[in-house]
Amino acid sequence: MGSEWADRGPSVSLHCAATAAEERIFAELTEHWLPPRATSTEFGTADQDRRSVGTDPLVAYNLLKSFLSSHKALADTLDTRATSLTARVTKAAKEGRRHDPAVDREQEAVARLRALTDSMGDGTAPGDSAKLDALVEQLKDIGVGPRSTTRAVVFSERVRTLKWLAEVVPPRLGFPAAGTTTDNGNGKNGKNGKNEKNGKDTESPHVRVMHGGLSDEEQQKVLAAFGLAENPVRLLFTGDVASEGVNLHRQCHHLIHYDIPWSLIRIEQRNGRIDRYGQRHQPQFRALILTSTTPGAKDDRTVAEKLLRREEEAHKLDGTAEAVTGYYRAEEEERRLIRELVEGGTVEEFLGAAPAAEDDMLAGLFGQVDTITEQELPPRAEVPSLFDGDTEAFTEAALAELYDECAEDLIGLARGDDPKGGQYLSLSPAKAPDLLHRLKALPPSYLKEQGVGERMLVTFDRALAERKLTDAREASDTLWPNVSFLTDIHPVAEWLTDKVLVQFGRQEAPVITSPQVTEPTFLVQGIYSNALGRPTVVKWMAVSGLPGTPEVGDMSDALRAAGVGPRLAVTGVPHDLDRLAALVPAAVSAARDHLERTKDEWADLISEPLAQYRQQLAQWRQDSLLPERTSRGRRRIEDTADEQAHLLDQLQTSGRPLLRVLAVLDRPASTDTTDDTPAES
């Protein structure tokens, strides 16, 4: 993909030594909520009486994760927990019973943690939060500031953290505070004053916050602002609502994990927001790792940094981290990891016991797909084309065939010249409901922004299309080019293809006449399939010499010899359609006989790699069934080998071929013509 997708940079861990206030919180969490795992000594088990003060073991880890995000997020979590505990006490009193004494102990612990949290600063000055200070320092190093176009996206799992960062970070970088007037960078002043409805200050014009609490429309506005080159937005603080399926790479190649999700899948999804096709600069990843000197403290090195490193390893070795654990869903992956930690386990033990932990044994079976050389690749199939891949020629021919002189009235077809060079077609999908329906496959934001339903501009000129794409990337008011490049997979091309095809009824095929044809030639497609119903052999044949001595040649050669293409002149009707129809059974029979005679040749080509793989499978099965394997592991090996063997059986060619008469080449009834009009067929 060349420069259209720059190689990914490393994931840099930035250790942030906890402040004194943060160390007190670590100490409280370690002493009362998350005591170290008990260890065995010669006198028994040490620390066996130390237990979490939490009545629910999951609460302790929720508090820890909140704190590793920010003390603001921890405060919100503590408030929620305090409310829940009070409700339990109240409910017990109403029911005339005494509540669990453990609730009292947890309430006291919650209150202590809340007091420690309140003792921390609000982040407006250095020293209040180690990670906040590191974030500001990193953003300055990157070059984010009022006089720079550099942008960065900062991820956090907690909405409270995102909102807090959006408040305190911009002023520390020198950005004007919310409620001021700023130059948008395009000569226009952008106001960021009071909200007319509620009188509250809106966020800084240089900052956007996105989280799951925003509507889809609000999220799209945030993404649009961050993706426009001339928009003043320089910082996007976002939650994991933007971690999947969202493009943040248009104007940004810096991503900072303020906190790290306890899921390899989620980390990979986050990184993928700027590491994607169209990224011109090397994506840069940084992660803020809060560290503690408190003995036994579960800081970011305990879980987060280990997962960060494992995700990077998986990306380098396998291209993806999705299958490392075998859970394939971020929520399930994180839930099971926390359960492992609650039971006293570690990240390493979690990864070692995950369903995919033994999948290293599959490396010998599936790990060689990227070692095939160009010389070892099977030959590519040749697919005949009347237009040699010329989408413009096909489109012009199809429009002429379908609409003749009425295209302007029926589909609003018009042609235009771009002021900077290049031509384009303009059409109105609203006048063609079947085309309008197909356009639903295109991005909704593109359809809406460009008003494609009413007027669509397409071009065959690659230079014009690339210029329009560049203009859109650098524009301040658009995300999409107003002229799109029309290729053979564009919905317009597919729409025209189907409209041309439906002109032929069931069991019908066109007759193409050319003075260069000496005898009727039937163009036949033959297809062999495997047990899965998928084609294994596709042959394009030209059958001539009928009915006496049929000869089967190559379809592409026959088309070239007949001069069939978009410039074929209209030469008149064929001699005798009834005679041609009568020859169809003989043409099909000749094509079938030809396929049957060459079947063994094709079968050898298909069977050879399957046979090699079958030998590899047998060897892998033998080598993998080691005595030290667990019964579960041995069972997986046997099941995998059986499944692969069954698949190999299904991939073999089977059954009789399917034959389709695609067209017939014939000599016209009269070749005395000077008409050079392109043929309608």
Side-chain angles (χ1 to χ4, degrees):
M1 298 186 180
S3 61
E4 291 295 328
W5 197 337
D7 290 338
R8 166 176 163 170
S11 294
V12 180
S13 294
L14 301 167
H15 285 199
C16 313
T19 65
E22 289 169 333
E23 286 289 17
R24 287 192 288 272
I25 294 178
F26 269 123
E28 180 69 19
L29 288 171
T30 304
E31 178 69 21
H32 300 288
W33 294 89
L34 295 163
R37 186 177 184 179
T39 56
S40 297
T41 69
E42 58 179 322
F43 302 106
T45 302
D47 298 326
Q48 59 184 356
D49 294 327
R50 295 184 63 189
R51 306 175 69 179
S52 174
V53 72
T55 54
D56 182 346
L58 294 178
V59 170
Y61 277 92
N62 190 23
L63 293 175
L64 174 65
K65 288 200 69 185
S66 297
F67 176 55
L68 293 175
S69 179
S70 72
H71 65 289
K72 296 290 185 180
L74 175 59
D76 280 4
T77 304
L78 288 169
D79 289 344
T80 300
R81 186 57 180 171
T83 300
S84 175
L85 293 172
T86 300
R88 289 170 63 178
V89 173
T90 302
K91 181 180 179 182
K94 287 182 178 180
E95 295 174 353
R97 57 182 175 82
R98 190 180 185 285
H99 61 269
D100 186 349
V103 173
D104 295 332
R105 292 192 295 271
E106 185 174 348
Q107 283 182 315
E108 293 172 1
V110 167
R112 287 196 305 271
L113 258 183
R114 190 67 171 89
L116 291 173
T117 304
D118 290 342
S119 69
M120 290 185 62
D122 59 7
T124 56
D128 291 336
S129 165
K131 289 173 74 170
L132 174 60
D133 291 346
L135 174 63
V136 173
E137 179 183 350
Q138 287 300 310
L139 291 174
K140 288 180 178 179
D141 289 346
I142 289 169
V144 177
R147 295 176 179 82
S148 170
T149 60
T150 302
R151 303 186 185 199
V153 56
V154 180
F155 270 95
S156 172
E157 288 192 297
R158 306 288 170 149
V159 175
R160 183 65 185 92
T161 301
L162 294 172
K163 293 180 177 180
W164 171 60
L165 292 176
E167 293 170 2
V168 299
V169 170
R172 291 181 59 172
L173 294 174
F175 287 113
T180 61
T181 300
T182 182
D183 187 342
N184 282 347
N186 56 8
K188 297 180 182 180
N189 282 334
K191 249 190 187 177
N192 193 47
K194 301 284 184 179
N195 184 296
E196 294 180 1
K197 290 185 178 180
N198 55 29
K200 294 181 179 178
D201 285 335
T202 58
E203 61 193 6
S204 165
H206 302 284
V207 175
R208 291 292 184 273
V209 178
M210 191 166 81
H211 52 78
L214 301 181
S215 66
D216 290 344
E217 183 178 358
E218 289 171 326
Q219 291 180 28
Q220 289 302 317
K221 288 181 179 179
V222 170
L223 295 174
F226 191 67
L228 295 175
E230 295 185 19
N231 194 287
V233 175
R234 295 294 178 265
L235 283 171
L236 173 62
F237 295 101
T238 181
D240 288 318
V241 66
S243 68
E244 187 174 6
V246 172
N247 297 320
L248 301 177
H249 67 292
R250 291 180 50 146
Q251 310 297 335
C252 174
H253 63 282
H254 293 287
L255 185 150
I256 299 177
H257 298 279
Y258 194 79
D259 55 41
I260 301 174
W262 288 3
S263 161
L264 295 170
I265 296 172
R266 193 72 77 199
I267 296 172
E268 180 179 61
Q269 288 173 343
R270 282 186 178 184
N271 291 343
R273 298 317 94 214
I274 63 168
D275 180 20
R276 57 200 304 104
Y277 180 72
Q279 176 60 268
R280 302 294 183 91
H281 306 280
Q282 185 183 63
Q284 301 290 322
F285 305 103
R286 295 168 174 82
L288 305 181
I289 305 297
L290 186 61
T291 65
S292 172
T293 58
T294 300
K298 289 180 169 55
D299 59 17
D300 273 323
R301 293 172 295 184
T302 307
V303 177
E305 188 172 31
K306 293 176 181 178
L307 293 179
L308 190 74
R309 290 173 179 169
R310 186 66 183 90
E311 187 275 337
E312 186 172 30
E313 290 173 3
H315 179 82
K316 290 177 179 178
L317 298 176
D318 308 318
T320 178
E322 189 176 56
V324 169
T325 61
Y327 292 121
Y328 299 99
R329 289 178 56 247
E331 297 80 3
E332 179 70 5
E333 187 181 40
E334 183 168 335
R335 185 180 69 82
R336 288 179 178 266
L337 171 56
I338 292 177
R339 188 173 69 182
E340 177 77 26
L341 297 173
V342 168
E343 293 174 354
T346 64
V347 172
E348 292 82 0
E349 289 170 335
F350 164 72
L351 295 174
E358 290 187 331
D359 282 353
D360 60 320
M361 63 190 181
L362 298 178
L365 189 59
F366 300 122
Q368 303 302 315
V369 294
D370 61 343
T371 62
I372 298 175
T373 66
E374 187 70 28
Q375 291 72 27
E376 294 173 323
L377 289 172
R380 288 186 176 274
E382 181 183 355
V383 180
S385 170
L386 299 180
F387 298 91
D388 294 326
D390 189 338
T391 307
E392 181 177 7
F394 164 75
T395 302
E396 296 290 359
L399 289 171
E401 173 73 15
L402 296 168
Y403 296 106
D404 196 15
E405 303 295 331
C406 306
E408 182 176 353
D409 295 331
L410 295 178
I411 60 173
L413 182 67
R415 302 172 193 275
D417 296 311
D418 189 79
K420 296 182 180 180
Q423 295 182 326
Y424 58 83
L425 290 181
S426 171
L427 62 157
S428 176
K431 293 186 176 182
D434 50 344
L435 172 58
L436 193 63
H437 177 74
R438 285 177 179 268
L439 297 183
K440 291 181 179 179
L442 299 176
S445 58
Y446 162 64
L447 299 175
K448 181 179 180 180
E449 179 193 290
Q450 294 296 331
V452 173
E454 294 299 321
R455 180 59 54 185
M456 185 178 203
L457 305 181
V458 295
T459 184
F460 307 105
D461 188 328
R462 182 179 294 274
L464 172 59
E466 289 183 347
R467 188 170 69 247
K468 292 295 183 180
L469 183 58
T470 300
D471 290 345
R473 284 175 173 167
E474 299 175 353
S476 61
D477 57 353
T478 181
L479 286 171
W480 299 98
N482 59 353
V483 180
S484 61
F485 190 50
L486 185 58
T487 68
D488 57 353
I489 61 171
H490 193 284
V492 170
E494 294 180 341
W495 167 68
L496 288 172
T497 300
D498 287 346
K499 287 189 73 68
V500 171
L501 288 176
V502 297
Q503 292 191 109
F504 302 108
R506 188 171 179 272
Q507 301 294 327
E508 289 184 353
V511 176
I512 303 174
T513 60
S514 169
Q516 295 169 254
V517 176
T518 58
E519 61 179 325
T521 303
F522 288 77
L523 308 182
V524 183
Q525 181 193 48
I527 301 175
Y528 277 108
S529 299
N530 57 30
L532 298 174
R534 293 168 184 165
T536 55
V537 178
V538 180
K539 288 285 288 183
W540 308 84
M541 298 168 284
V543 183
S544 57
L546 298 172
T549 55
E551 295 183 7
V552 179
D554 181 76
M555 185 184 297
S556 294
D557 293 341
L559 289 170
R560 282 191 290 267
V564 176
R567 293 177 179 81
L568 177 65
V570 175
T571 53
V573 298
H575 281 288
D576 188 346
L577 285 176
D578 290 338
R579 176 173 173 270
L580 294 178
L583 292 175
V584 169
V588 171
S589 177
R592 179 178 287 111
D593 290 343
H594 175 76
L595 285 178
E596 290 293 343
R597 286 195 301 272
T598 58
K599 180 179 180 181
D600 290 343
E601 176 186 344
W602 286 101
D604 289 342
L605 281 175
I606 295 169
S607 298
E608 182 178 353
L610 295 180
Q612 292 176 355
Y613 189 80
R614 199 181 296 275
Q615 292 176 355
Q616 182 182 347
L617 177 65
Q619 186 64 48
W620 171 82
R621 187 175 197 161
Q622 178 180 334
D623 294 343
S624 299
L625 291 173
L626 304 174
E628 59 266 26
R629 292 282 187 196
T630 64
S631 58
R632 177 175 172 271
R634 296 174 66 85
R635 188 164 58 252
R636 290 187 66 210
I637 291 169
E638 294 284 6
D639 291 345
T640 300
D642 290 343
E643 290 171 2
Q644 293 295 300
H646 180 59
L647 176 60
L648 289 171
D649 294 338
Q650 292 180 305
L651 291 177
Q652 295 282 2
T653 301
S654 62
R656 291 168 59 83
L658 167 70
L659 294 113
R660 298 168 58 199
V661 176
L662 303 179
V664 183
L665 303 178
D666 195 17
R667 192 173 181 82
S670 173
T671 57
D672 300 329
T673 178
T674 59
D675 188 354
D676 290 331
T677 305
E680 294 182 358
S681 59

